[in-house]
Amino acid sequence: MSAENYSPLEAGREEESLFFSTTPQEQACVGHLRGDFGGGAEFWTTWWEHQDNLKTQDFKDELDELVKALRKDGPLKDLRSMERFCREHPQARMSPESGSDYYGFRVDTAQRRYCLRFLPRRGDYNFYIYCYQTDKLERSGPQTPREEPVNKKIKVLVVEPMKPCEVREIPDSLEAMQGIVGGLIEFSAPFSDSAVIICNEEGKNLDLPYNRPLCGLDGIPYDILCGTFFVAGVEREELVSLTDGQIERYKDLYDNMIILTAEKEPPQEKKAPKGQKKKRHNER
């Protein structure tokens, strides 16, 4: 199949359920590809299996061709290209009222439909490609719009430098998250359970105060978190409220590893010994 046949089309509101793992058309879904651009020009992907019996060699070859086509001067080339592509298709924006807005597109081939969810923002997963077998999708019935609460909120644990942890209920929106960390957000998943850290991507470059050490599963610190961050739960690639057990666990963890920092005092000018004049620069 030629590359020009992979041009994404704007998706309709009635197709919204096809962009998520909770779709009622699950039996028609081969799987989905999740990816991000890292610092802006990298390309990282993870494959999630749904219906293994549908993952034929023909499908794998077609998905590979699709990704290559979209990577070549297309919306998957890098973050800047995706941002430009989405700006050119404002009608593809989905669910802006929920706080988890994204851009929805689709690519139809002879046997399959690929639903592309684009999130053109740094510090987040940037795209999802849900792959459906068309004949099974048609038999599964009409799609229904995805229901989401208008003002969805999640319970998180906010950790500020040199302060005890605080449980807060925050809007599930990019603006709210950026407001807490004070800038661009970055995700880190150092835990063994379904929880993630959301921190300021430029915390060190901005000289934000040291907060808490970042430890591996062995409990050994390998980095340090700068500036305010928070811990949230994660389920099916989306942020959710922490459970009571998680709140207790991480509050106990971070309340017992506070890093104390002090502001640097300006250097004091040395005083000349009593009875001795300071030497001027023009004296020889």
Side-chain angles (χ1 to χ4, degrees):
M1 182 173 288
S2 57
E4 58 265 22
N5 291 329
Y6 290 122
S7 299
L9 304 173
E10 295 177 1
R13 169 71 178 170
E14 70 281 357
E15 301 173 276
E16 190 171 10
S17 65
L18 298 177
F19 292 87
F20 297 87
S21 297
T22 54
T23 173
Q25 291 78 26
E26 173 67 24
Q27 70 274 17
C29 186
V30 187
H32 76 272
L33 189 71
R34 181 184 72 186
D36 67 86
F37 300 113
E42 301 165 59
F43 193 76
W44 304 96
T45 61
T46 305
W47 171 256
W48 298 78
E49 206 80 66
H50 288 239
Q51 302 296 335
D52 182 62
N53 60 304
L54 301 179
K55 195 176 71 172
T56 62
Q57 187 59 49
D58 176 64
F59 161 73
K60 290 189 281 188
D61 292 342
E62 186 174 79
L63 178 60
D64 186 54
E65 290 179 15
L66 169 66
V67 173
K68 286 180 178 178
L70 297 178
R71 288 272 289 152
K72 184 181 179 181
D73 299 321
L76 296 188
K77 182 179 181 180
D78 51 34
L79 183 58
R80 184 171 295 179
S81 298
M82 178 177 285
E83 290 172 341
R84 182 172 60 251
F85 186 83
C86 291
R87 283 198 304 270
E88 293 171 353
H89 298 84
Q91 297 302 317
R93 188 180 180 191
M94 297 272 202
S95 296
E97 75 280 357
S98 71
S100 57
D101 55 305
Y102 64 94
Y103 292 80
F105 300 90
R106 78 169 195 267
V107 173
D108 291 321
T109 66
Q111 300 181 50
R112 300 175 187 90
R113 170 167 295 184
Y114 298 91
C115 294
L116 289 64
R117 172 157 54 112
F118 291 166
L119 299 94
R121 52 182 181 250
R122 193 182 298 272
D124 201 347
Y125 292 116
N126 299 121
F127 64 89
Y128 297 79
I129 302 177
Y130 280 82
C131 314
Y132 295 92
Q133 188 163 309
T134 309
D135 59 344
K136 290 184 176 294
L137 187 62
E138 291 172 348
R139 289 200 298 268
S140 65
Q143 292 84 49
T144 55
R146 181 172 180 260
E147 295 295 330
E148 285 195 52
V150 175
N151 296 311
K152 179 184 173 186
K153 291 188 176 183
I154 57 175
K155 188 182 292 185
V156 302
L157 190 69
V158 179
V159 187
E160 298 184 54
M162 295 190 292
K163 290 184 179 180
C165 303
E166 179 186 352
V167 179
R168 293 186 199 170
E169 196 172 60
I170 68 169
D172 181 19
S173 68
L174 179 64
E175 292 76 14
M177 297 177 196
Q178 290 179 332
I180 291 174
V181 305
L184 299 175
I185 62 173
E186 180 177 26
F187 290 76
S188 179
F191 309 123
S192 59
D193 65 352
S194 53
V196 292
I197 288 173
I198 295 89
C199 60
N200 190 310
E201 183 187 54
E202 302 176 309
K204 290 182 180 178
N205 294 335
L206 295 173
D207 289 326
L208 297 181
Y210 290 158
N211 193 338
R212 304 298 202 274
L214 189 58
C215 303
L217 294 178
D218 53 8
I220 299 176
Y222 64 88
D223 204 346
I224 191 165
L225 293 161
C226 297
T228 299
F229 67 89
F230 65 94
V231 183
V234 63
E235 182 178 305
R236 292 184 180 271
E237 308 110 38
E238 298 203 9
L239 295 184
V240 296
S241 293
L242 291 170
T243 65
D244 291 341
Q246 287 175 320
I247 290 174
E248 183 178 354
R249 183 183 314 127
Y250 295 119
K251 192 173 191 312
D252 181 67
L253 173 67
Y254 289 122
D255 279 347
N256 287 285
M257 55 165 55
I258 293 177
I259 295 177
L260 300 177
T261 59
E263 294 184 5
K264 293 181 180 179
E265 295 185 4
Q268 298 290 327
E269 185 180 349
K270 291 184 178 180
K271 294 183 179 180
K274 203 169 185 179
Q276 181 179 339
K277 294 182 179 179
K278 289 184 181 178
K279 188 175 182 179
R280 297 178 181 173
H281 291 292
N282 60 355
E283 289 182 3
R284 298 184 182 275

